[in-house]
Amino acid sequence: MDQVKIGKFISQMRKEKGLTQKQLGEELLISDKTVSKWETGKGMPEVSLMLPLCEKLGINVNELLTGERIPDEDYKKKAEENIMNIMREKEESIRKIIVSVIAGVTGILAGCTLILVSGVFNMETWQRGLLLAIGIIVMIGGIAVAAIEDMTAGTYECKYCGTRFVPSAASYLFGVHTITRRSLTCPKCGKRSYCKRRLTH
């Protein structure tokens, strides 16, 4: 989905209805900042808000997700395209999560094995040092690949303003996390919270 195109379409439809961002926000029980975020392509309406938003703008969900008015003859085709795009996005995010788990586990196991071998068997000091170094590099490499894949698998959603974003490497690595949430600072509202992972943008 093209968030920028969708944002411009929301803005266009809002203006056609003669609504300000604040007025539209009030009707949907959200802030004008959230509406602004949608219109600038920095986020998407939550699923629970899509139908009320479409009702206020006089459009349907298919048109919202496409970012344009759809003639009746193209409606079914566009609906199928939108569904396929969402499914592809989710599949790609799941693939990245699986790769991150495999890379992390493989890197740690291989690194630990090399370190263990260097300590158990008799060998020259330089050989022991080399195995230790390789073991540490393999572990760090596996963890780095795991972190990069996991960090870019979908987005994280701010608890306060609903902005979806990909965190920076530093905030991702140092953010306390559970399986589905990570403590991050929202780039939009600046508040820190346990942001929920979303598999789509």
Side-chain angles (χ1 to χ4, degrees):
M1 288 181 290
D2 187 337
Q3 286 189 191
V4 173
K5 183 181 179 185
I6 292 170
K8 287 179 180 174
F9 182 59
I10 292 172
S11 176
Q12 178 191 338
M13 293 297 101
R14 171 181 61 77
K15 288 171 184 172
E16 284 185 13
K17 291 292 180 181
L19 296 169
T20 63
Q21 289 181 342
K22 185 173 174 121
Q23 288 169 331
L24 179 59
E26 285 173 351
E27 291 195 23
L28 295 171
L29 304 177
I30 56 173
S31 71
D32 56 340
K33 288 182 180 177
T34 301
V35 176
S36 174
K37 174 196 70 175
W38 298 342
E39 293 186 358
T40 53
K42 293 177 181 172
M44 284 285 293
E46 292 181 17
V47 174
S48 60
L49 287 172
M50 283 187 180
L51 283 175
L53 174 63
C54 289
E55 188 179 325
K56 298 296 178 191
L57 299 181
I59 59 176
N60 57 55
V61 174
N62 201 16
E63 289 173 324
L64 174 67
L65 296 176
T66 306
E68 62 186 5
R69 286 284 191 185
I70 303 172
D72 290 341
E73 60 270 18
D74 294 337
Y75 188 84
K76 183 179 177 183
K77 181 183 174 187
K78 287 290 184 182
E80 289 171 352
E81 284 176 8
N82 287 331
I83 291 168
M84 291 305 296
N85 285 338
I86 290 169
M87 288 175 66
R88 271 194 292 269
E89 230 178 279
K90 285 187 175 180
E91 283 176 3
E92 178 63 13
S93 294
I94 291 168
R95 185 197 65 77
K96 286 185 174 185
I97 291 169
I98 292 169
V99 168
S100 78
V101 171
I102 293 170
V105 170
T106 304
I108 290 169
L109 287 177
C112 287
T113 301
L114 288 171
I115 291 168
L116 188 62
V117 167
S118 73
V120 171
F121 295 99
N122 289 326
M123 60 185 72
E124 296 290 328
T125 305
W126 69 268
Q127 291 173 321
R128 193 181 311 281
L130 182 62
L131 275 179
L132 278 169
I134 293 172
I136 290 168
I137 290 168
V138 168
M139 274 200 294
I140 291 172
I143 292 168
V145 170
I148 291 166
E149 288 293 313
D150 189 62
M151 183 175 70
T152 57
T155 53
Y156 286 89
E157 184 176 88
C158 175
K159 175 183 174 182
Y160 296 102
C161 69
T163 297
R164 291 189 182 188
F165 61 96
V166 176
S168 67
S171 61
Y172 172 85
L173 289 173
F174 296 109
V176 180
H177 63 94
T178 62
I179 294 172
T180 59
R181 297 177 187 269
R182 187 172 291 269
S183 179
L184 299 166
T185 300
C186 174
K188 179 76 175 176
C189 68
K191 293 181 180 177
R192 190 168 190 87
S193 66
Y194 274 93
C195 300
K196 188 169 185 178
R197 182 201 289 277
R198 301 291 187 185
L199 293 178
T200 58
H201 290 77

